[in-house]
Amino acid sequence: MHRILFLFLTVFFIASAEAAEVRSPEEYLGFPIGADRKLADYNEVMGYLDELAAGSPWVETETIGTTTLGRPFIMAVLSTPDNLSNLSRYKEISRKLADPRGLPAGEAEQLIKEGKTFVLITCNLHSTEIASAQAALELAYEIASGENDMARNALEETVLFLIPSLNPDGLQMVVDWYEKWVGTEYEGCEMPWLYHHYVGHDNNRDWFMVNLAETRAVFEVYFDTVIPHVVLDMHQMWSTGARLFLPQFYPPANVNVDPILYREIGLLGYAMQLECEERDLAGVISDAYFTAYWEGTSMMTPWWHNQVGLLSEAASCRVATPVYIDEVELEGGSKGFPRYEHRINFPNPWPGGWWRLRDIVDYELAIADGLLDCCARHNERFLRNFYAMGARAVAQGKNEPPYGFVIPAPQDDPVTAARMIEAFMLGGVEVHEAVKDFMIGNRLYRAGSYVIRLDQPYRAYAKDLLEVQEYPDIRASEKEDFVRPYDVTGWTLPMQMGIACEEIDEPFEAELRLLENYPYAEHALPRENENIWGFALDPRINASYAAAFALLENGHTVLRADEELALGEDALPAGALLVQSRKGLTDDARALSRDLHAIFHPVTGESAAAARRLKPVKTALFKPWRASMDEGWTRYLFDTHLVPYENVTNEQIKEGEIGDYDALVLADISPDIIKKGEWTGEYARFSRPMPPDYEGGIEDEGVENIKKFVAGGGTLICFGRSCDFAIEALELPVRNVLEKAGPDDFYAPGSILEVAFREGHPVTYGMAGKGHVFFTNSPAFATSLPFGKFDRSILAAYEKKNPLASGLLIGPERLYRRAALVEMTYDRGKVLLFGFRPQHRCQTAGTYKLIFNALLESGRK
Ligand SMILES: [Zn+2]
């Protein structure tokens, strides 16, 4: 009797502790996960996970940050109740294994035996790729309720960190938009704005510059608070190819990634494929589509940190609307998959038919289980390799060149240099400052120079971002097709940001201090007194412009010196910005100095005498309804540099509501989108109708109004492809020399090029004579001699036979002696043609000044 009672009590106890009172997603949401046309929004995702955490000892939730639009950014943590109660110990183990310096192998082995593999699954970074945010709820429920033995067993040896959406704002926007149109002819249509407030799909291109609030929060998880060993980022791709991509990736590979890492990517990729095959989920492909080379995405950044990064890409339905795919619509045609047919990397072709949200959820649940299972089976191995890769990195940095990189003092723009160092520190890289002058060979470096030593665990990351990229040509011969990169090919940060940086190829000694804080220098502001006329701001420093915009906006008197400005024993180059003392200036200057790190130099009235006064500038930024990421990045640049602006739409330009602005900015947007609001040519079949309020472009009326705007004294500023629009619309006597070049004649898919800037022009104030620009599908110009209402100034040109500085450039001769940046005068106004991307993904801080100058000078009528 006692025994029976005991058993009964035990069963009852287990039942209440484990099955607890957790509701299924269906009970919570009112529909099953993956049901046609049904989506959980972000509030429901948060609410449901919190409910699971309250009801189950297998689930916890935490807030890892705040999103761009102010939402809580959440992560669930799932493991056995025992593991969760020891989580801080396991985190400590991961932190110790990440840095083998001072951790002898014997001690490491103890930690490896004790530790657990940390698996981070991230979902829904791209908000329309929505299935994973839904699948996350079902996965968490299966674990909490005890329905999923495979995952529960695996969690004995692992801890699962689950971020249900890497872009919560976007998830909410996409669900709201989808629900608005469901049941109408626009069901599943594109949103007319980006699904991230600033950058849309480019939120997966921010993973070394760390501009966005969301990236920053996850960087803390990656390199500080959690330090996962395995990361899987779940995406969706186009509808008509394979059903699911899983690693291994397609060549080329990146030489800085540890070879063990690529093998682990393969092991886990194939384990997930096997799990799909065992569940008879057809159409899984590997070794195709996606390359393993470049920096910038959420799941690749871990590679240079000895952490496994994995990608899954499921075929999409139309948000939550099923699609029917005829078998003849299935197609290959990409890397590793020339035709849609049975292959070794595609042994179970999907035959076509209906494809629904639920199908994607099923594939994603399978790969989550397969991943956890394989990680658990190899728990010690993953931890041991994690430690070994870190140890190998440290040894390589000690024993082979490069030994480090020096960012020598002084820098033209010390604030931007500090921003670069901040990005490295966020990425877990140690940065030192020289306490005293030091020599390497016969080169003298001053105290205050920054040094990134490479004998550190994240050597690969620092090296890959600091060195010059050479895109590998992996063909057997030139007869084969060139393997096109997936994204950019050059990302060398000092070049993009205009920072001097030198590679050190011999062992060196220097007295160094490890930086604990980002090295933004504090500059004391002198008190106002009668001897000071006001302050000067250095035109080489981006923050000076941000300060000038803010001061103009606050009604201060801001002037510009067109000559060199003497400053005691020193001098500022032409273009210095001056602000005259008056009540309230010191407070404003102090705030700008604190928030933006702007540096104010006191000046006398004498030095200000020859300066000319600047007016506040009214800027319009065109925002098409076919949302543009480059427009979004421009907004990000303006918001972070205090440029006052307003967005203008097609309708406003058509109605002629741009006459009051000084400048109209067109980001890198295709002329078809500007004029008609739709793709033409080969992309036309991807254009789906928009709801009537968002259809069309600026049309002929808009073109006429832009002509009037410029003729009347406005400044039109065009980046990249919008230059082609301006050349045609205003019939400018300038030609894009790359317009007719085929992809085999000319190709520069995101490369850094060297240009010569023409000094002494207000738009190039603050720039050095030579510099770097970021070039991707950009134009280059042949100009004509002036006549009539036209004149031109070439402000930057390609003067080297091969201007490639980092990345890939096929056909350099087409750029030789061509213009990269042109200012055209047109009647009373001007057009600035940027034949490159001056604010690309807000990484190219080295060319921001050109934009700021163009804006400041547009106030000059
Ligand atoms: Zn994606």
Side-chain angles (χ1 to χ4, degrees), residues 124-129 195 201 203-205 233-237 290 311-313 486:
N124 187 235
L125 175 59
H126 293 147
S127 309
T128 48
E129 302 164 15
Y195 55 59
H201 189 273
N203 61 357
N204 205 20
R205 302 293 182 268
D233 193 30
M234 289 185 173
H235 286 252
Q236 290 170 219
M237 55 183 179
F290 301 98
L311 172 70
S312 72
E313 291 270 1
Y486 187 75

Side-chain angles (χ1 to χ4, degrees), residues 193-257:
W193 41 83
L194 298 164
Y195 55 59
H196 178 280
H197 178 65
Y198 286 115
V199 304
H201 189 273
D202 264 2
N203 61 357
N204 205 20
R205 302 293 182 268
D206 188 43
W207 295 78
F208 56 80
M209 200 64 249
V210 206
N211 279 312
L212 308 177
E214 293 80 5
T215 319
R216 221 175 164 102
V218 179
F219 259 53
E220 281 177 21
V221 170
Y222 277 176
F223 311 123
D224 187 20
T225 57
V226 175
I227 316 187
H229 311 106
V230 175
V231 175
L232 166 64
D233 193 30
M234 289 185 173
H235 286 252
Q236 290 170 219
M237 55 183 179
W238 57 98
S239 304
T240 53
R243 294 303 86 192
L244 179 70
F245 162 85
L246 288 171
Q248 194 52 285
F249 292 88
Y250 195 78
N254 184 295
V255 74
N256 288 322
V257 174

